[in-house]
Amino acid sequence: MTLYLDNAATSWPKPPSVHQAVKRALEEIGASPGRAAHRMAREAERMVEDARRQVADLFHVPDPRRVIFTRNATESINVVLRGWLRPGDRVLMSSLEHNAVARPLRQLETEGVLVERIPLGSHEALDLQWLRERMEPPPRLVVLVHASNVTGELLPVAEAAQICRSSGAPLLLDAAQTAGLQNIDVEAMHLGMLACSGHKALLGPAGVGILYIRSDLAVDPLIRGGTGSRSEELEQPDACPDRFESGTVNLPGIAGLAAGIAFIREKGMDSILAHELHLAALLEAGLGSMPGVQVLKPQHRGTGVVSFRTEELHPADIGFILDEVFDIAVRTGLHCAPLAHRALGSFPGGTVRISPGYASTESDIERMLQAMATIAARRA
């Protein structure tokens, strides 16, 4: 049986309750939410709004209407970057950003937006003093990944958010890796915007993303169209969430997301995080004891992601052997985060990334370590 250790990309297996919620949405509901007055449509709308409230509760969003459903974290990020930044604006981002941030910002650079990278600090993933010094004049936006998808490094978001708040610069947090693992309070953390995926640690299906935008920030929508509200007007509605949710939303995906969040609450988010951090520690210790293996250890671990490389084999070769010989699924390469690999010194080859999930066990980690020990011994 395949040992799946690629949960940082997409969590698997999903809890049975997620499958059941998706099945019910497809088999029993089926209608478009917010598009009709019949009972099936009303039930579909109820399911979406229940999920919206669950997301709001999870992230301590005071008004559930500020929770917007998208396709994924990438779309959520693009909504903010495209809808908030204009030529001449200045934006700061960390040196560990995913291409979901780096690529749209690179395009905006060609259109006149000034992009600056916050360097790594000596003891943090951010040079906070550099950030303080770049706050005058205030940038239009600061973008930070909450935890690196390469190493699991947890950025000092609380400190950075306080710096941003003092200057009046809104902070966009990319929580794709941490939503469902780390406690995120949008008000306590003074976040301007929050973007995340539903298919990673939130345990929902693919095709659902989440976006939160603070009520005082007027972001333009990325897409305009039918919303089921104010249909007599040709202008896009101003009110959230309709302003950003044109077209029919992914009802089965949203239903599954709500079930994933309910599962997390039942099991306890702190308990799930502690379990994944424990497995990461076992991986670090086991891999670190093998000759020729370099583990990219984070200074402040926030997720169960563990990345490593070897002196003898390219990461892609290791991944191929693990898959074909040992039936173990991991991720190799640059993980859509070339900026992070450049900053960490693992560019261009990248790393082998192991990411256990809530369902992973110590036996799974032992199987992974035995496989790597066998590969290392054959290369000796």
Side-chain angles (χ1 to χ4, degrees):
M1 182 177 179
T2 298
L3 171 53
Y4 184 81
L5 293 173
D6 193 19
N7 288 274
T10 295
S11 58
W12 188 86
K14 306 296 184 184
S17 57
V18 172
H19 293 264
Q20 294 162 8
V22 172
K23 186 172 184 287
R24 177 171 180 263
L26 288 170
E27 293 186 352
E28 299 180 25
I29 310 304
S32 292
R35 297 300 192 274
H38 57 75
R39 280 177 293 176
M40 290 175 66
R42 293 200 307 270
E43 177 61 13
E45 180 71 9
R46 186 201 64 77
M47 292 179 72
V48 171
E49 295 313 310
D50 175 67
R52 206 183 303 278
R53 285 190 293 271
Q54 287 205 52
V55 173
D57 288 344
L58 183 68
F59 297 133
H60 306 276
V61 176
D63 182 359
R65 291 173 298 180
R66 306 306 301 183
V67 172
I68 299 147
F69 290 121
T70 63
R71 291 183 304 162
N72 44 51
T74 299
E75 182 174 298
S76 297
I77 291 165
N78 272 264
V79 170
V80 173
L81 299 183
R82 274 286 168 189
W84 182 249
L85 297 173
R86 300 289 181 270
D89 287 342
R90 186 167 62 98
V91 56
L92 310 181
M93 69 173 183
S94 85
S95 296
L96 299 179
E97 295 304 315
H98 189 277
N99 275 344
V101 169
R103 282 182 169 170
L105 282 181
R106 178 69 191 98
Q107 176 60 35
L108 285 167
E109 275 189 295
T110 68
E111 300 171 19
V113 173
L114 177 63
V115 179
E116 300 179 17
R117 288 186 213 166
I118 309 167
L120 301 179
S122 56
H123 301 290
E124 297 280 4
L126 287 178
D127 187 333
L128 294 172
Q129 183 56 38
W130 186 96
L131 180 62
R132 290 186 186 92
E133 293 170 355
R134 299 299 295 168
M135 281 291 142
E136 188 58 44
R140 177 69 170 169
L141 184 69
V142 176
V143 187
L144 298 179
V145 65
H146 198 183
S148 168
N149 72 319
V150 176
T151 65
E153 179 78 48
L154 190 68
L155 274 66
V157 170
E159 296 89 336
Q162 188 57 51
I163 294 170
C164 293
R165 185 189 188 197
S166 298
S167 74
L171 171 61
L172 165 60
L173 184 67
D174 174 4
Q177 292 294 315
T178 55
L181 290 175
Q182 294 284 341
N183 182 43
I184 298 173
D185 186 325
V186 299
E187 289 210 306
M189 297 171 75
H190 312 298
L191 299 182
M193 304 91 161
L194 169 75
C196 68
S197 319
H199 66 276
K200 298 182 189 289
L202 287 176
L203 307 180
V208 181
I210 295 166
L211 173 62
Y212 158 77
I213 301 175
R214 204 171 62 210
S215 60
D216 63 322
L217 301 176
V219 176
D220 289 338
L222 186 65
I223 298 173
R224 292 168 172 83
T227 61
S229 60
R230 298 189 177 275
S231 295
E232 72 281 4
E233 300 176 359
L234 293 182
E235 289 76 20
Q236 187 77 358
D238 287 330
C240 277
D242 288 6
R243 178 172 175 80
F244 300 98
E245 288 185 357
S246 293
T248 302
V249 297
N250 180 359
L251 179 64
I254 291 171
L257 172 64
I261 292 173
F263 178 87
I264 292 168
R265 289 192 177 281
E266 178 185 348
K267 294 297 181 181
M269 188 164 58
D270 290 344
S271 176
I272 294 173
L273 176 62
H275 174 67
E276 294 189 17
L277 294 182
H278 170 64
L279 298 182
L282 295 178
L283 281 167
E284 283 189 343
L287 291 168
S289 67
M290 297 178 190
V293 174
Q294 177 195 6
V295 179
L296 276 64
K297 294 184 179 181
Q299 298 180 76
H300 305 284
R301 176 167 289 285
T303 72
V305 169
V306 175
S307 271
F308 73 93
R309 55 184 181 167
T310 72
E311 297 173 354
E312 296 291 332
L313 282 172
H314 192 280
D317 295 330
I318 296 174
F320 179 81
I321 295 169
L322 287 171
D323 185 32
E324 292 294 317
V325 178
F326 298 96
D327 201 11
I328 299 175
V330 298
R331 176 79 179 270
T332 65
L334 297 176
H335 318 106
C336 297
L339 295 183
H341 281 281
R342 287 182 184 276
L344 297 167
S346 47
F347 187 88
T351 59
V352 178
R353 186 183 73 185
I354 309 168
S355 50
Y358 81 94
S360 303
T361 66
E362 290 187 1
S363 296
D364 293 337
I365 302 307
E366 182 59 30
R367 178 177 162 187
M368 172 67 210
L369 291 173
Q370 287 177 353
M372 269 309 303
T374 302
I375 293 171
R378 288 176 180 174
R379 299 298 297 182

